[in-house]
Amino acid sequence: MNNMNLIPVYPEIFLLIATSAILLIDMFLPDAKRVITYLLSLLALVVCAVLTFTNYASGETVYTFSNMFVSDPLSSLLKLFSYLAIGLTLIYARQYNSDRAIVGGGHLGGEFYALALFSLLGQMVMISGNSFLSIYLGLELMSLSLYALVALRRDNVGSTEAAMKYFILGALASGFLLYGISMLYGATGSLELNDVFRAIVSGTVDRNVLVFGIVFVVAGLAFKLGAVPFHMWVPDVYHGAPTPMTLLIGGAPKLAAFAMVFRLLVEGLLPLAIDWQQMLMVLAVLSIIIGNVTAIAQTNIKRMLAYSTISHMGFMLLGMMSGVVDGNLFQAVNAYSSSLFYAITYVLTTLGTFGVILLMARSGFEADTLDDFKGLNQRSPWFAAIMLILMFSLAGIPPMVGFYAKLSVLQAVLGTGQIWLAVLAVVFSLVGAFYYLRVIKNMYFDEPADSGKITASFDVRIALSLNGLAALVIGLWPGHLMDACTSAIVTTLATFLSKVIAA
């Protein structure tokens, strides 16, 4: 059915038009008035949020563009948090202003805002993709924008090197993903996830070809998540890119990556779960072990957080590989909702952490070493307290939200009967707590190398304060967000399966 209902696509259409207009307007603005570009970008995000929330509140699932695009509660929920992530990134990046020499000694140019919004557009297409083709197009739009953002500081050798590594390895990962998709298309005869699901269930497809395709698809997904052994780009890109660009890579794209994993593996390849769950388990175990152990040796906080990201993506994959056990639907819902909750709360915590790093940057200087955090409590007790909350959350210490997120994933793992896997995850989480507590020790027990007070603009102070407090408040009352995640997973799965069965 060639359904061309445009209502579910209004947020994407508006963002495309708004971003093009913002880029055009910025061409005629002097540096002193670039705040207009910043405000227009935030306004565009607000309008998109209103349009998406309308879809979310309706609770309906709508397929359009010949079933290549789907608007359902899961996509709307992830898009809303993606807007929040990009919005906070733009606010924090404002602190990284002209005297911090981000691009050749000038202000954040309009290309920064345009590329950030185009990367968001790609993420939105990925999140709502119901076809191999639409998911891949969204992935490439997001990736190409991020490649350009990493290389935006043209005169910096570190940024150029990071961009080259990111681009080359990203192209390799895209090749893996495309080859895997081609194998699945050749076996099933369709690019649409519903048809792929039905073809696999029919039992008429060569299983060997399907498994071969899944191996390459999982490899491509693992790169986008930064999971071991496809993690080699993460520390170099996090370190070499300007900090606002690092946050653009480490924040909202993780939500889109979760959506891509869910759409491809759960909605499209669920009948082959016994195969891809084993692959995800290997990726998760390696990521948790190598990410946490390697982070201990880092003295650069951006590299430390890069390895931390690797370990957290391993935890998220633990939830994804715990879904299908002997046809237990409750176990599947519990596992996927815990993984979704983990992804959302991890992104919120990461945003605040990099927000503090951006806040501490000064003229021509990146506050990216652990020593830069020495004596932060003496320079700014409030921002030190926010960083304390965020570090506790990343370490999984109660009552922060990170503790509940880890607990929910571990409960899903225990539901599979693999107690050894839960024990391993707990042990290496304790190992990982060391490098988070080291940052707190530097802030509260060491003398500052720079005694100057840390100042922040009003919007940055408010956003960072709310961001930090959210990690505490959601940890104390996680029920509302967890209910929203569970409801989104239940509705999305039920609608998808009913559509497959009805056809």
Side-chain angles (χ1 to χ4, degrees):
M1 180 176 64
N2 188 18
N3 181 9
M4 290 298 291
N5 181 6
L6 293 181
I7 295 178
V9 199
Y10 279 168
E12 285 78 8
I13 294 173
F14 173 79
L15 184 61
L16 175 61
I17 296 173
T19 304
S20 302
I22 288 170
L23 186 59
L24 183 63
I25 293 170
D26 183 79
M27 292 174 59
F28 302 98
L29 293 177
D31 283 349
K33 294 185 178 180
R34 188 130 291 148
V35 66
I36 295 176
T37 308
Y38 163 70
L39 294 175
L40 288 175
S41 300
L42 292 182
L43 179 61
L45 294 175
V46 171
V47 174
C48 286
V50 172
L51 294 173
T52 302
F53 186 78
T54 302
N55 294 335
Y56 179 69
S58 70
E60 297 179 352
T61 298
V62 181
Y63 291 86
T64 186
F65 288 106
S66 300
N67 290 337
M68 293 178 63
F69 187 97
V70 59
S71 174
D72 54 22
L74 176 63
S75 65
S76 297
L77 183 66
L78 285 171
K79 286 177 188 177
L80 288 172
F81 279 101
S82 296
Y83 304 147
L84 177 62
I86 294 294
L88 287 175
T89 300
L90 297 184
I91 292 173
Y92 296 152
R94 282 286 297 165
Q95 188 72 17
Y96 198 83
N97 53 28
S98 59
D99 66 347
R100 286 168 173 79
I102 185 169
V103 186
H107 285 268
L108 285 170
E111 62 272 20
F112 168 78
Y113 297 102
L115 287 170
L117 294 178
F118 275 127
S119 73
L120 173 62
L121 180 60
Q123 293 161 37
M124 294 165 68
V125 175
M126 286 172 64
I127 289 170
S128 286
N130 191 50
S131 162
F132 288 135
L133 181 60
S134 56
I135 291 174
Y136 182 75
L137 288 175
L139 173 65
E140 287 304 296
L141 176 56
M142 178 192 76
S143 297
L144 291 172
S145 301
L146 294 178
Y147 299 153
L149 281 166
V150 174
L152 203 56
R153 193 164 54 182
R154 296 179 293 275
D155 298 330
N156 185 279
V157 176
S159 293
T160 304
E161 180 184 352
M164 288 297 293
K165 289 180 179 178
Y166 192 21
F167 175 74
I168 292 172
L169 293 174
L172 181 64
S174 294
F176 281 158
L177 189 62
L178 272 179
Y179 188 69
I181 288 174
S182 69
M183 297 296 292
L184 295 173
Y185 173 67
T188 62
S190 178
L191 293 171
E192 185 185 327
L193 298 182
N194 309 63
D195 294 337
V196 171
F197 187 103
R198 283 192 289 268
I200 296 173
V201 171
S202 69
T204 60
V205 181
D206 188 339
R207 183 180 179 84
N208 292 325
V209 177
L210 290 173
V211 174
F212 192 69
I214 288 174
V215 170
F216 284 93
V217 168
V218 170
L221 294 175
F223 174 88
K224 296 305 176 184
L225 288 169
V228 176
F230 305 95
H231 68 291
M232 64 288 293
W233 65 274
V234 180
D236 290 336
V237 173
Y238 272 46
H239 184 192
T243 308
M245 287 55 165
T246 303
L247 183 50
L248 281 171
I249 295 170
K254 302 305 181 189
L255 300 175
F258 170 85
M260 184 167 63
V261 172
F262 185 86
R263 299 292 187 196
L264 292 178
L265 298 185
V266 178
E267 291 191 347
L269 304 171
L270 189 63
L272 299 172
I274 189 64
D275 297 299
W276 55 258
Q277 282 182 162
Q278 299 303 312
M279 301 177 199
L280 294 190
M281 183 177 69
V282 174
L283 294 173
V285 169
L286 291 177
S287 299
I288 291 172
I289 294 174
I290 294 177
N292 281 314
V293 171
T294 312
I296 294 175
Q298 307 305 312
T299 58
N300 182 286
I301 193 167
K302 288 167 70 176
R303 293 186 74 89
M304 186 197 84
L305 291 173
Y307 285 107
S308 165
T309 296
I310 294 168
S311 68
H312 284 288
M313 291 302 100
F315 245 97
M316 192 188 81
L317 289 176
L318 281 183
M320 293 302 299
M321 56 78 53
S322 304
V324 179
V325 181
D326 299 328
N328 187 338
L329 185 59
F330 176 78
Q331 170 66 18
V333 169
N334 181 45
Y336 299 142
S337 60
S338 68
S339 187
L340 173 58
F341 182 85
Y342 196 98
I344 291 173
T345 54
Y346 166 74
V347 168
L348 288 176
T349 310
T350 297
L351 289 166
T353 303
F354 277 99
V356 176
I357 296 174
L358 283 164
L359 182 67
M360 295 180 62
R362 53 187 181 273
S363 183
F365 174 80
E366 298 267 12
D368 58 0
T369 67
L370 293 175
D371 288 343
D372 293 324
F373 284 81
K374 287 184 175 180
L376 178 59
N377 183 55
Q378 299 179 35
R379 300 176 62 193
S380 176
W382 177 242
F383 290 123
I386 291 175
M387 194 65 169
L388 171 74
I389 292 172
L390 297 169
M391 289 295 102
F392 275 172
S393 181
L394 289 173
I397 297 175
M400 310 309 168
V401 68
F403 168 77
Y404 188 83
K406 280 184 166 61
L407 179 62
S408 62
V409 169
L410 291 173
Q411 287 175 335
V413 174
L414 289 173
T416 67
Q418 301 180 86
I419 299 176
W420 69 271
L421 194 54
V423 171
L424 182 142
V426 171
V427 169
F428 280 95
S429 292
L430 293 175
V431 172
F434 168 78
Y435 53 84
Y436 296 121
L437 296 177
R438 184 171 55 184
V439 176
I440 296 172
K441 175 259 183 187
N442 285 358
M443 292 192 302
Y444 283 90
F445 298 102
D446 290 347
E447 291 296 322
D450 183 352
S451 58
K453 294 294 182 182
I454 296 177
T455 58
S457 59
F458 177 77
D459 55 346
V460 172
R461 179 178 290 274
I462 294 298
L464 193 53
S465 299
L466 292 176
N467 196 169
L469 292 175
L472 174 61
V473 173
I474 299 176
L476 292 172
W477 295 280
H480 296 295
L481 181 56
M482 179 55 84
D483 289 345
C485 293
T486 303
S487 175
I489 293 293
V490 168
T491 305
T492 299
L493 279 178
T495 306
F496 178 82
L497 293 175
S498 64
K499 181 177 177 62
V500 170
I501 294 171

